[in-house]
């Protein structure tokens, strides 16, 4: 445990030494709240609450993809990475520190969204709903964490950042995160249930007082999680084999 916390401490310090990484992590969900939710849905308590859940899901997705996709790819490019993998501590402290650092960055990403929702909209939740919503966000982050790990272990950093960007926006738009949660366009309504963003968002919406999640988005969220997990394990083992063969 002490090794895990030590790795997490230094990984977090390494992250915040580049302030733009923290700013970028918080900017897009907060800007989306200010430009899309506050002026168009801020006066409706239910819609504002659901839209805040959407923006928080967007923040979690973005953080997971960039932290693990780009972060792992950047680690692999460092000259000391092969040496670190030979140390007696094994891979788990480094791997666990990636996950914990991602959770810290996720918290930093959703805090501005919560502040904007509380001060500039009529969104409202009880303390219990807030805790349930945070738990739902944790579940929603799992497939994107695994997708990020898959990209990070498979690709070099320059390719990883491009792939993460290509994944992020279509997933967010296709899942209906950047439009009305109660009245999406017909095409989005047809596509969204098959994307992990929708399953995660519906879990968050249900946790904060919205409608119960439908079966299809939840099944597809589980399918994406299993497939992304298998791909992440394969990419990690492939990278290990290529480095030590």
């Amino acid at each position: 445990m002490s090794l895990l916390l030590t790795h997490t401490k230094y990984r977090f310090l390494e992250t915040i030494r580049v302030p733009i990484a923290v700013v970028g992590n918080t900017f897009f969900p907060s800007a989306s709240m200010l430009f899309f939710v506050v002026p168009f849905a801020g006066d409706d308590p239910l819609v504002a609450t659901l839209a805040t859940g959407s923006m928080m899901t967007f923040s979690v997705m973005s953080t997971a993809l960039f932290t693990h996709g780009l972060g792992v790819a950047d680690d692999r490019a460092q000259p000391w990475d092969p040496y670190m993998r030979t140390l007696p501590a094994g891979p788990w402290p480094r791997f666990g520190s990636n996950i914990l650092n991602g959770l810290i960055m996720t918290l930093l990403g959703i805090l501005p969204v919560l502040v904007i929702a509380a001060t500039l909209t009529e969104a409202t939740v009880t303390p219990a709903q807030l805790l349930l919503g945070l738990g739902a966000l944790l579940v929603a982050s799992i497939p994107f964490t695994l997708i990020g790990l898959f990209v990070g272990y498979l690709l070099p950093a320059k390719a990883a950042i491009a792939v993460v960007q290509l994944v992020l926006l279509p997933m967010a738009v296709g899942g209906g995160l950047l439009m009305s949660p109660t009245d999406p366009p017909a095409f989005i309504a047809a596509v969204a249930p098959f994307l992990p963003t929708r399953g995660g968002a519906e879990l968050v919406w249900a946790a904060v007082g919205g409608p119960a999640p439908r079966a299809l988005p939840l099944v597809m969220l589980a399918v994406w999680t299993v497939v992304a997990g298998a791909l992440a394990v394969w990419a990690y083992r492939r990278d290990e084999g290529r480095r030590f063969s």
Side-chain angles (χ1 to χ4, degrees), residues 8-203:
T8 303
K9 172 186 173 182
Y10 285 104
R11 189 169 293 277
F12 177 68
L13 291 175
E14 184 180 22
T15 300
I16 62 175
R17 283 189 183 123
V18 185
I20 192 62
V22 180
V23 172
N25 183 56
T26 61
F27 175 75
F28 290 107
S30 301
S32 297
M33 278 290 294
L34 289 172
F35 290 126
F36 298 115
V37 177
V38 173
F40 299 111
D43 294 333
D44 186 316
L46 177 60
V47 176
T49 302
L50 298 183
T52 300
S54 296
M55 292 302 102
M56 293 174 69
T57 305
F58 179 40
S59 177
V60 166
M61 176 181 68
S62 173
T63 302
L65 287 172
F66 277 100
T67 299
H68 302 295
L70 187 56
V72 169
D74 186 61
D75 283 347
R76 290 171 54 238
Q78 303 303 321
W80 58 81
D81 183 67
Y83 168 72
M84 292 287 290
R85 297 191 186 199
T86 66
L87 295 178
W92 294 112
R94 295 182 70 213
F95 181 81
S97 70
N98 269 330
I99 302 299
L100 289 179
N101 186 55
L103 291 176
I104 295 170
M105 296 304 294
T106 295
L107 181 61
L108 293 177
I110 65 176
L111 280 176
V113 175
L114 283 174
V115 170
I116 293 170
T119 57
L120 300 179
T121 77
E122 297 298 321
T124 180
V125 292
T126 65
Q129 288 174 333
L130 179 60
L131 290 176
L132 284 174
L134 293 175
L137 285 171
L138 182 62
V139 174
S141 73
I142 295 174
F144 299 103
T145 297
L146 294 171
I147 292 170
L149 292 171
F150 167 59
V151 172
Y153 282 117
L154 183 68
L155 300 173
K158 288 183 179 179
I161 190 170
V163 171
V164 165
Q165 289 172 334
L166 288 173
V167 170
L168 177 64
L169 192 58
M171 284 283 192
V173 175
L177 299 184
L178 302 181
M179 51 197 65
S180 171
T182 57
D183 187 27
F187 175 74
I188 298 300
V191 171
F194 298 96
L195 298 177
T197 36
R198 189 65 177 200
E202 291 198 6
L203 279 178

